[in-house]
Amino acid sequence: MFIRIHKSFLVSVNAIQSIDANEVRLGKLLLPLSKNYREEVMNKIGDRLFKR
């Protein structure tokens, strides 16, 4: 499953390692997390991150 985190970035949910206030970590790569997509991202995958 893929999710949009920014107007320029669509990422695999399985690749997300952590989420900070405005960044998503995919391994060593940090990508911006848009304020517009943050709530949607947390609702869809927040629970998955806490189960790891």
Side-chain angles (χ1 to χ4, degrees), residues 24-42:
V24 174
R25 178 176 296 277
L26 308 172
K28 293 183 180 181
L29 183 64
L30 288 175
L31 297 176
L33 175 58
S34 169
K35 290 185 281 185
N36 296 332
Y37 291 103
R38 180 170 174 70
E39 185 175 348
E40 180 183 348
V41 169
M42 294 308 292

Side-chain angles (χ1 to χ4, degrees), residues 2 4 9-10 13-14 16 18-19 21 25-26 28-29 36 41 43 46 51:
F2 289 86
R4 183 159 305 279
F9 296 103
L10 186 67
V13 171
N14 295 329
I16 296 175
S18 66
I19 298 175
R25 178 176 296 277
L26 308 172
K28 293 183 180 181
L29 183 64
N36 296 332
V41 169
N43 287 339
K51 291 180 184 176

Side-chain angles (χ1 to χ4, degrees), residues 4-23:
R4 183 159 305 279
I5 62 168
H6 188 276
K7 69 178 184 177
S8 300
F9 296 103
L10 186 67
V11 299
S12 169
V13 171
N14 295 329
I16 296 175
Q17 292 182 338
S18 66
I19 298 175
D20 291 327
N22 61 351
E23 292 179 325

